[in-house]
């Protein structure tokens, strides 16, 4: 893994879970991690309930748009995380693949999105811990 790890979040529409995960990782890790998100069948726009739920925690994703999943995005990423939606990511040697089982916020209001948002934050915090530990130089006492 490079000094600056890269993570790709994938869900079908790239309008909910993967957008929240990318926003949390960007917010919590800053420029220490390169962040991408994409979908196999991207929606026209990010779910408004997702935008509102993220706004509640001070994260503005109004400028985000769903993007199509490409082989190049997978190749450029150290870690590919699917969001429990059965997406098939191209598989390349040397990549880490994770699947996070998360409820789909599609068609749900902000009250239903909040617990998904909060669960994603916990997963992202654990991901950051692992990524930083992997790239931190070993120190001897």
């Amino acid at each position: 893994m490079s000094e600056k790890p890269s993570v790709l979040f994938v869900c079908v529409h790239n309008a909910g879970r993967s957008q929240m995960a990318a926003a949390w990782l960007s917010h919590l890790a800053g420029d220490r991690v390169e962040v991408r998100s994409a979908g196999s069948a991207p929606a026209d726009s990010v779910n408004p309930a997702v935008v509102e739920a993220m706004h509640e925690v001070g994260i503005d994703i109004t400028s985000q748009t769903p993007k199509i999943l490409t082989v190049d995005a997978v190749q450029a990423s150290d870690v590919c995380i699917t969001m429990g939606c059965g997406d098939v990511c191209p598989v390349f040697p040397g990549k880490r693949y994770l699947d996070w089982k998360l409820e789909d916020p599609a068609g749900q209001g902000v009250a239903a999105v909040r617990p998904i948002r909060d669960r994603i934050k916990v997963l992202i915090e654990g991901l950051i811990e692992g990524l930083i530990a992997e790239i931190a130089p070993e120190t001897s006492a």
Side-chain angles (χ1 to χ4, degrees), residues 79-96:
V79 181
C80 299
I81 300 174
T82 57
M83 311 305 279
C85 52
D87 255 7
V88 177
C89 244
V91 175
F92 295 98
K95 306 285 178 208
R96 183 181 334 156

Side-chain angles (χ1 to χ4, degrees), residues 58-109:
I59 301 173
D60 181 7
I61 62 170
T62 56
S63 66
Q64 297 302 311
T65 57
K67 294 165 271 322
I68 187 76
L69 176 63
T70 65
V71 170
D72 290 343
V74 177
Q75 285 180 315
S77 302
D78 297 308
V79 181
C80 299
I81 300 174
T82 57
M83 311 305 279
C85 52
D87 255 7
V88 177
C89 244
V91 175
F92 295 98
K95 306 285 178 208
R96 183 181 334 156
Y97 295 88
L98 302 171
D99 183 46
W100 290 352
K101 305 289 185 204
L102 297 162
E103 187 176 345
D104 188 350
Q108 300 195 52

Side-chain angles (χ1 to χ4, degrees), residues 8-46:
L8 170 65
F9 296 100
V10 181
C11 68
V12 174
H13 298 119
N14 189 222
R17 296 166 288 192
S18 56
Q19 291 286 349
M20 287 189 283
W24 272 123
L25 184 55
S26 294
H27 179 76
L28 296 171
D31 63 358
R32 296 180 295 168
V33 178
E34 187 175 348
V35 181
R36 298 178 180 85
S37 72
S40 57
D44 293 330
S45 61
V46 176

